[in-house]
Amino acid sequence: MKQQAKSKFDLVLSVHDLNAWYGEAQVLSNISFDVERNRVTALIGPSGCGKSTLIRCFNRMNDFIPSFRLTGKILLEEEDLYSTAIDPVEVRLRLGMVFQKQNPFPKSIYDNIAYGPRIAGIRNRDQLDAIVEDSLQKAALWDEVKDKLRDNAYALSGGQQQRLCIARTLAIEPEVLLLDEPCSALDPIATAKIEELILELKDSYTVLIVTHNMQQAARVSHYTAFLYLGELIEFGLTDKIFTNPGDHRTEAYVTGKFG
Amino acid sequence: MSHPRKSRTGEKFIETALLACGMLSILTTVGIIGVLLFETIGFFKEVSIIEFFTDTQWTPLFVKKHFGVLPLVAGTALTSAIAILVAGPLGILTAIFLSEYAPVRLRQILKPILEILAGVPTIVYGYFALLFVTPLLQKLIPGLGGFNALSPGIVMGIMIIPLVSSLSEDAMYAVPRGLREAAYALGSSRLQTAWQVVVPAAFSGITASFVIAISRAIGETMLVAIAAGQMPNLTFNPLVPIETMTTYIVQISLGDTPTGTLEFRTIFAVGMVLFLSTFALNLIGDFMRQRFREQYE
């Protein structure tokens, strides 16, 4: 079944037997699944199920936690993200991440977007201008901020700040977008805007999204992975997970019996 | 309830006592400013304020008297500048190391040790400058005199490193984790995260630490009194002996200049300049903090 999928569709990410620990506590057990190109894959599950830990494995954000340990493989285009030959900085450039709580830098809107490209060594003014405009366009924020690019990012509303963070991530041209509960701190209107944006981005990016909100997963994703107590209970087409789940725990969760 | 009056009297007493404690420090400050003002006005009745700020020589104890404060101001500016040139970069680098690189355990051990540096009596630093650093510098710079501005300046810099590093580190440590995560997620190295995100976000705290360190350097007395030579000298050459405002005040206070004379009053005029410069510095620091504060929420 898996082999067939591989020949038929284009896989970007492939997780093999992933296990993870914080100190002695195991937080992820034997996780394996594939992520298709230009599709949105949602990670759902109750609090503490390991979904945030899992998404942070993809861009090696867990490297900063001293007690964190991991076995297994995550392949990006056949390349092991945890091989000793690979530079974590390069991993983070290829898989861009947007966080739960909007975290713009206390700098101008322009400097927020230009941060990544500047770090990568781009100094040319025209080139930076083009990247800033392009990224803000893609994040559907350009029209709202084009006249105040020099204003501090904190002058924006919470929803605008989160779209700014998405634009900032797009500016480094990642292959994959990792969204870790991007709407958890936003009101419903701002949430709707971000969801709309995710649906637009899926044409050119592969998106992984962690969400608490099952309606959100149903609305934006093609595939859904249900995690429970660190295990991947079920993975498949979102429609199937929500309408005809194969596991009773999945059914209980998506119908709101626990969570 | 049977003794309501008694307990209320007790309350009143404690309230008054607490108020008195608070007033004590305010009254002391007012008293100091009052004395400074009174004596300074007396001084300027005899010496013109123009001479005070334009004459380039300070020789109040000589037969031919000059009352130009500039050599003393220059001496203070010179040693303080050297000190902050040493303490600024080293203090910030130390703070970056402690906040961004050091494991939690190491940070917990190193920080208090560093703060002990601030507790060493300044006279010890003075002899350290005179008997250790100066001879060392003399090997590097031939012809350097036994008294100069460089040696006490450097040692004063070492002395105030903990002020800069400790306060800057507090400010950096308080920068939200989300900002660091954002920087890393955009492909920054540790150093890039520290320099381009954490330091700018902690700017107001770092500025405050600089202002406090410079104030401390300007007010430092013993160290320069021992190692700088006590010779008023309008120069920015760090290799020659100089005298600072504070050391001049010590020199007169300990000498046999009779109170009430013009010579004695000079120390109040100099004290006033000292007071106004640290006061101005604090105002500048406050302004910088407001103006350049990077607010995160």
Side-chain angles (χ1 to χ4, degrees):
Chain A
M1 186 65 192
K2 200 173 166 186
Q3 284 310 310
Q4 196 190 350
K6 203 163 185 170
S7 59
K8 211 170 162 191
F9 301 102
D10 191 3
L11 299 181
V12 179
L13 280 165
S14 200
V15 182
H16 294 287
D17 290 326
L18 191 73
N19 287 277
W21 294 263
Y22 291 124
E24 293 300 306
Q26 184 160 9
V27 283
L28 294 173
S29 322
N30 299 315
I31 307 261
S32 298
F33 66 102
D34 295 327
V35 177
E36 263 181 50
R37 189 181 306 282
N38 295 359
R39 290 286 182 272
V40 179
T41 302
L43 305 176
I44 62 166
S47 301
C49 70
K51 55 195 191 303
S52 271
T53 303
L54 177 59
I55 201 170
R56 283 163 165 263
C57 287
F58 288 105
N59 68 338
R60 299 191 57 168
M61 282 310 276
N62 293 325
D63 288 17
F64 299 106
I65 300 163
S67 66
F68 182 80
R69 195 159 57 84
L70 165 150
T71 64
K73 276 185 184 164
I74 299 177
L75 304 178
L76 171 66
E77 311 280 4
E78 310 285 303
E79 201 179 344
D80 186 357
L81 295 179
Y82 281 83
S83 100
T84 46
I86 207 163
D87 179 0
V89 168
E90 192 206 329
V91 172
R92 294 184 197 117
L93 288 171
R94 295 178 66 185
L95 299 104
M97 177 171 264
V98 175
F99 297 84
Q100 255 180 56
K101 191 164 183 313
Q102 59 273 19
N103 54 359
F105 298 124
K107 303 176 190 290
S108 71
I109 293 169
Y110 185 98
D111 288 340
N112 262 280
I113 309 288
Y115 180 90
R118 279 180 179 143
I119 288 282
I122 297 173
R123 287 276 172 269
N124 181 298
R125 196 51 210 257
D126 294 337
Q127 211 179 339
L128 285 175
D129 287 350
I131 292 172
V132 169
E133 174 167 356
D134 184 52
S135 310
L136 286 168
Q137 292 274 17
K138 282 183 190 154
L141 192 59
W142 175 252
D143 291 334
E144 291 160 59
V145 302
K146 63 177 180 228
D147 299 322
K148 45 180 183 179
L149 293 174
R150 294 287 155 203
D151 286 10
N152 194 297
Y154 283 85
L156 300 174
S157 72
Q160 288 174 321
Q161 286 182 18
Q162 191 62 305
R163 277 182 284 148
L164 179 72
C165 292
I166 294 175
R168 182 174 68 180
T169 303
L170 297 178
I172 60 171
E173 298 182 341
E175 296 161 44
V176 179
L177 269 182
L178 307 170
L179 311 176
D180 185 3
E181 294 195 46
C183 305
S184 64
L186 303 179
D187 62 58
I189 293 170
T191 300
K193 280 201 171 144
I194 303 257
E195 286 181 8
E196 207 176 297
L197 176 59
I198 294 168
L199 289 172
E200 276 168 35
L201 291 172
K202 72 161 202 302
D203 294 332
S204 24
Y205 294 90
T206 305
V207 180
L208 263 164
I209 178 170
V210 166
T211 179
H212 239 97
N213 177 332
M214 272 165 302
Q215 285 76 29
Q216 183 169 68
R219 280 192 298 263
V220 302
S221 70
H222 304 93
Y223 291 92
T224 295
F226 171 62
L227 279 91
Y228 182 59
L229 300 175
E231 282 179 60
L232 180 61
I233 304 297
E234 197 166 351
F235 175 72
L237 285 166
T238 299
D239 276 350
K240 182 174 179 301
I241 297 277
F242 279 90
T243 55
N244 187 19
D247 191 287
H248 65 96
R249 287 166 293 185
T250 315
E251 186 182 10
Y253 184 70
V254 298
T255 53
K257 291 205 178 82
F258 74 97
Chain B
M1 288 306 279
S2 51
H3 305 292
R5 284 197 59 179
K6 194 179 173 192
S7 75
R8 228 179 291 152
T9 331
E11 279 294 304
K12 194 85 195 152
F13 173 74
I14 288 173
E15 243 174 64
T16 317
L18 291 176
L19 182 70
C21 290
M23 291 305 286
L24 190 68
S25 67
I26 294 174
L27 287 176
T28 312
T29 313
V30 171
I32 290 172
I33 295 172
V35 172
L36 265 183
L37 260 180
F38 178 77
E39 296 284 351
T40 305
I41 289 166
F43 173 78
F44 281 120
K45 277 185 184 145
E46 294 179 60
V47 176
S48 95
I49 198 159
I50 295 163
E51 185 195 344
F52 188 67
F53 283 113
T54 55
D55 198 321
T56 56
Q57 287 185 59
W58 181 257
T59 55
L61 302 181
F62 290 10
V63 182
K64 188 167 170 24
K65 294 185 193 316
H66 284 280
F67 295 98
V69 79
L70 287 179
L72 298 181
V73 173
T76 295
L78 183 59
T79 48
S80 304
I82 296 169
I84 202 68
L85 280 177
V86 171
L90 285 178
I92 288 197
L93 290 178
T94 309
I96 288 177
F97 173 75
L98 285 177
S99 150
E100 305 302 307
Y101 286 85
V104 181
R105 282 289 300 277
L106 188 63
R107 175 176 182 271
Q108 281 169 350
I109 298 167
L110 276 184
K111 226 189 153 191
I113 292 180
L114 233 126
E115 280 160 7
I116 289 174
L117 264 187
V120 175
T122 59
I123 191 144
V124 175
Y125 281 109
Y127 279 103
F128 177 66
L130 185 66
L131 302 176
F132 181 77
V133 176
T134 302
L136 199 72
L137 288 172
Q138 280 170 327
K139 284 192 188 122
L140 300 172
I141 310 166
L144 181 69
F147 294 113
N148 57 71
L150 187 59
S151 169
I154 291 172
V155 174
M156 194 146 78
I158 295 168
M159 184 179 83
I160 60 178
I161 285 174
L163 281 181
V164 176
S165 68
S166 192
L167 290 170
S168 300
E169 200 265 351
D170 287 342
M172 289 181 201
Y173 203 69
V175 172
R177 203 172 60 122
L179 292 187
R180 290 188 182 84
E181 287 189 333
Y184 286 126
L186 293 169
S188 315
S189 64
R190 248 175 216 268
L191 190 64
Q192 286 166 329
T193 304
W195 268 121
Q196 310 203 15
V197 174
V198 179
V199 169
F203 186 82
S204 73
I206 294 171
T207 313
S209 80
F210 269 61
V211 169
I212 290 173
I214 296 172
S215 296
R216 179 72 209 279
I218 289 175
E220 176 48 36
T221 312
M222 225 50 223
L223 210 171
V224 264
I226 291 170
Q230 306 200 353
M231 250 183 68
N233 203 341
L234 182 54
T235 177
F236 285 107
N237 177 4
L239 305 179
V240 297
I242 50 101
E243 177 155 53
T244 67
M245 293 187 269
T246 50
T247 49
Y248 172 75
I249 294 172
V250 172
Q251 190 190 346
I252 296 299
S253 317
L254 298 181
D256 40 17
T257 315
T259 41
T261 60
L262 177 63
E263 288 80 359
F264 193 78
R265 281 203 172 127
T266 55
I267 68 174
F268 291 98
V270 172
M272 194 69 183
V273 174
L274 199 59
F275 172 75
L276 288 178
S277 43
T278 42
F279 187 67
L281 205 65
N282 285 338
L283 287 184
I284 293 169
D286 252 16
F287 169 77
M288 298 266 287
R289 235 172 24 217
Q290 300 293 331
R291 175 72 183 72
F292 296 106
R293 180 160 55 176
E294 293 205 342
Q295 252 173 332
Y296 23 89
E297 278 203 302

